[in-house]
Amino acid sequence: RLVRTVSDNGFSQRVSCHPLALASRTASRLMTSSSAPSQLMSLLPAGSSGAEGASVTAVTLADFLDENGLDGVDLLKMDIEGSEFEVLLTAEIDTLRRIRRVELEYHERQGPESKKDIESRFEEAGFRKTFDTGQEDAYGLARFERQ
């Protein structure tokens, strides 16, 4: 659907679509497989054995940037249905510093990490939060800009 939408709107020369997922390490992972809307689909936890799902190539944020020759990114829009914790909390600070602005959808976390952990990680990389719609650890949208 994404490739078709990009093409239908005349953005094929400016937008590249990559059939992969961001994760804490580069590996093959399982994604929930369903006919449900895409916002209900997510990566299954690493090492999920016996689970059913679609196999997807997962890469780290650093590997994605490197493989695509991206030394700098003006805007990273991240809407990855809960995997933002895994990706952002394991990304190297130098990797995050390659990004100028992040528009992030975050979700209520089922594990020990929280939205505060993401905020602290961005602060460590020189970002400041400039917008946040959510509550403490519930779902929301946030913007971080590197100073």
Side-chain angles (χ1 to χ4, degrees):
R1 281 191 325 206
L2 177 61
V3 171
R4 185 179 68 242
T5 299
V6 167
S7 178
D8 288 351
N9 288 283
F11 291 119
S12 296
Q13 298 298 316
R14 297 176 49 201
V15 175
S16 299
C17 301
H18 303 269
L20 51 84
L22 291 178
S24 59
R25 64 185 182 90
T26 297
S28 181
R29 291 278 295 272
L30 291 177
M31 177 173 271
T32 53
S33 180
S34 166
S35 60
S38 62
Q39 65 267 27
L40 299 179
M41 300 174 70
S42 61
L43 280 181
L44 296 173
S48 294
S49 59
E52 289 191 32
S55 181
V56 61
T57 299
V59 299
T60 66
L61 180 58
D63 285 348
F64 178 80
L65 296 176
D66 291 344
E67 290 169 9
N68 289 282
L70 299 171
D71 294 327
V73 175
D74 289 328
L75 171 65
L76 173 64
K77 179 193 175 284
M78 184 172 279
D79 180 359
I80 55 177
E81 306 311 321
S83 292
E84 61 275 5
F85 292 93
E86 176 182 348
V87 172
L88 295 172
L89 296 178
T90 60
E92 297 289 333
I93 293 298
D94 286 342
T95 298
L96 295 176
R97 287 183 179 146
R98 292 163 69 177
I99 303 164
R100 189 174 60 82
R101 189 174 84 203
V102 177
E103 298 281 343
L104 171 69
E105 178 187 61
Y106 57 88
H107 298 78
E108 187 170 0
R109 182 65 174 164
Q110 301 301 318
E113 298 89 359
S114 71
K115 180 179 95 170
K116 290 282 188 201
D117 294 317
I118 289 176
E119 290 173 355
S120 295
R121 190 74 173 158
F122 277 126
E123 286 175 15
E124 186 179 354
F127 287 78
R128 65 183 170 89
K129 182 171 62 175
T130 59
F131 178 78
D132 191 345
T133 64
Q135 300 183 6
E136 189 55 35
D137 276 325
Y139 165 87
L141 304 171
R143 176 184 306 119
F144 297 89
E145 297 184 50
R146 199 162 40 84
Q147 301 174 2

